[in-house]
Amino acid sequence: MNKKGLITAIVCTLMVLVAYFAWQFVFFEYETNVYTTTAEQLFTIDHLTKLVPLLIIGLLTAIGIVACIVVRNHLMRHDTLRGPFATRRAPSSKGRVRGRRVSAFMVVRWVCMVGFFALMVFGGVLLGQRYSWISIPVLSCPANMSQLTEASCYYLAHLEELAGLPLMGIVVFVVSTLGFVLVFGRVLCGFACPMGLAQDVMHKIRQATKVEGISMTERMYQALVPIRWVMLLLMIGLSFVGGNFCNFCPAIALTPVAAGLSVSLYASGFLMVFVLIASFFKRRFFCTICPLGYLMGLAHRVQPFRIKKDCTACTECGACYEACPMGIKQLYTEREQTDVTDISCIMCGECVRCCPEDHALSLTLLGKDIYISKRSRVVEGYRR
């Protein structure tokens, strides 16, 4: 086994051990867990005090980000090859630069993400109804009894409990989950997942603070594949050996805590801090290893949303690959096929937005273009 394989094996082994003994890594623990809240409690002091775990996660994330930046700057200053160039400031431009105009597609996407986050956190309380028999395959933690619907992840991580449900309950779970997967696929990751919104917010914070991110290479993406498979195996099989994936999943540290529920956090709290730090430097980092997202991606060949490419218009500039948070290389390497939809694609539209050639890339629904690449979109926001 080479050095790379050994490191990967060690990392995966540590993940398995931490996941199995997750309940022993206490992040924030309540004496009594409370999984429900009411509309009257939303604006009380008691509700605010229950947000303490989320504030701790935010504080630890900020400390971790600052520490990473300090360490990176220190290493770059002592790098004899790149240090002088990395620390040298670029000359300021005398021309005027305007920001790019935000496309309607991106506005709709952000509205959907914020709206679904509100439904995942407070939907059941605000609307006075909770559709617990409907399962949506996104990482909205089902421990949050205040959201509008349940997530599929709990029963997928506890298959023995799913088997113990009445036949009608199993049928409804399978039909609702498969229905959303077949119709939307990983569109739910890009438009509805609360974890996706949290990661995109971290990306926006990095852009606003003008901190340099991490540019992932193809080899780095390949190194994450074994970790993704380990996450998938842990989610599906951990309960059969006496573990509980919920104590390891970072989603339980987001929507339940944001709803003001008294939910104890174990290794999941520490993992959420890591996910936020990683997502600050690399957009949608957790999406590259998310087990639920991978299962949704299996329907990419039949879902009605597609990424199409006009190979004759493509100049292989690589802008789409650089913009893609999932690192899908075939976006610019494909030279024959029109359909370049990949199992990892979350339909965020970043590749289309950054493509500098007219109609070289397009996001379609049932064969109809809903978002196409335009050269004018890329260049209109910048002028001397």
Side-chain angles (χ1 to χ4, degrees):
M1 181 180 295
N2 56 24
K3 183 178 179 180
K4 178 183 175 181
L6 179 61
I7 294 175
T8 302
I10 293 175
V11 171
C12 292
T13 302
L14 289 176
M15 285 179 57
V16 172
L17 291 176
V18 172
Y20 185 79
F21 297 102
W23 59 275
Q24 294 188 355
F25 299 94
V26 180
F27 183 86
F28 196 96
E29 193 171 23
Y30 289 97
E31 292 184 2
T32 302
N33 290 340
V34 178
Y35 298 101
T36 58
T37 187
T38 62
E40 293 76 14
Q41 295 174 327
L42 293 181
F43 303 101
T44 62
I45 299 298
D46 181 63
H47 175 82
L48 294 178
T49 57
K50 292 177 181 178
L51 299 180
V52 170
L54 204 57
L55 298 178
I56 295 175
I57 289 174
L59 178 61
L60 292 178
T61 299
I63 294 174
I65 290 172
V66 172
C68 290
I69 294 174
V70 171
V71 171
R72 182 173 65 179
N73 291 342
H74 174 76
L75 294 176
M76 292 301 295
R77 283 196 300 268
H78 291 79
D79 190 327
T80 56
L81 180 61
R82 292 175 297 175
F85 301 97
T87 56
R88 185 183 302 169
R89 293 185 178 180
S92 59
S93 174
K94 295 182 180 180
R96 181 183 177 186
V97 180
R98 297 185 303 172
R100 295 184 183 182
R101 185 176 61 185
V102 181
S103 64
F105 177 87
M106 291 300 171
V107 172
V108 170
R109 178 171 171 267
W110 275 92
V111 169
C112 287
M113 285 195 297
V114 174
F116 273 102
F117 184 85
L119 291 176
M120 299 301 181
V121 177
F122 306 112
V125 173
L126 297 177
L127 301 180
Q129 179 66 43
R130 185 171 188 266
Y131 302 95
S132 58
W133 60 86
I134 299 177
S135 295
I136 297 181
V138 294
L139 277 175
S140 57
C141 181
N144 179 10
M145 303 298 290
S146 300
Q147 63 188 8
L148 197 63
T149 64
E150 287 188 349
S152 307
C153 55
Y154 180 80
Y155 284 120
L156 290 175
H158 302 82
L159 293 176
E160 73 284 1
E161 293 191 25
L162 176 63
L165 292 177
L167 179 59
M168 182 55 64
I170 297 176
V171 171
V172 172
F173 170 82
V174 173
V175 171
S176 60
T177 300
L178 284 181
F180 278 101
V181 169
L182 294 176
V183 174
F184 297 102
R186 295 204 72 173
V187 171
L188 295 173
C189 299
F191 283 77
C193 182
M195 285 293 293
L197 174 62
Q199 294 179 86
D200 280 347
V201 168
M202 295 304 298
H203 173 72
K204 291 296 183 182
I205 294 175
R206 183 187 65 79
Q207 288 184 320
T209 54
K210 300 181 180 180
V211 176
E212 183 181 358
I214 296 177
S215 181
M216 296 279 287
T217 64
E218 186 179 4
R219 294 182 62 182
M220 295 169 70
Y221 280 114
Q222 289 298 320
L224 293 176
V225 173
I227 297 177
R228 182 180 63 192
W229 279 104
V230 169
M231 291 285 289
L232 181 60
L233 292 175
L234 287 174
M235 185 183 76
I236 295 178
L238 193 60
S239 62
F240 291 101
V241 294
N244 186 359
F245 184 76
C246 294
N247 292 335
F248 181 71
C249 176
I252 199 173
L254 184 60
T255 58
V257 179
L261 307 180
S262 301
V263 180
S264 298
L265 304 178
Y266 299 97
S268 55
F270 297 102
L271 185 60
M272 186 61 182
V273 173
F274 172 78
V275 168
L276 292 178
I277 295 175
S279 300
F280 179 85
F281 293 99
K282 195 281 172 197
R283 187 175 186 181
R284 291 275 182 152
F285 170 81
F286 185 73
C287 291
T288 60
I289 60 173
C290 175
L292 195 57
Y294 181 76
L295 291 178
M296 286 190 286
L298 294 176
H300 73 285
R301 295 187 183 278
V302 296
Q303 69 183 44
F305 294 89
R306 321 296 303 171
I307 297 292
K308 297 296 183 66
K309 176 179 180 179
D310 183 354
C311 296
T312 60
C314 176
T315 58
E316 295 187 81
C317 66
C320 53
Y321 178 65
E322 291 294 330
C324 178
M326 306 302 292
I328 302 175
K329 190 176 181 180
Q330 72 179 35
L331 285 171
Y332 85 98
T333 58
E334 180 60 52
R335 302 306 299 168
E336 296 180 359
Q337 297 184 9
T338 301
D339 194 335
V340 290
T341 310
D342 187 79
I343 190 173
S344 299
C345 182
I346 60 175
M347 300 294 168
C348 63
E350 289 296 325
C351 58
V352 179
R353 182 181 68 87
C354 293
C355 179
E357 301 300 330
D358 291 334
H359 219 298
L361 285 175
S362 59
L363 194 158
T364 67
L365 172 59
L366 296 175
K368 302 295 183 180
D369 293 336
I370 59 177
Y371 191 40
I372 62 175
S373 61
K374 295 181 180 180
R375 180 178 300 177
S376 59
R377 182 191 301 124
V378 177
V379 301
E380 71 180 354
Y382 301 93
R383 66 183 178 88
R384 296 292 293 182

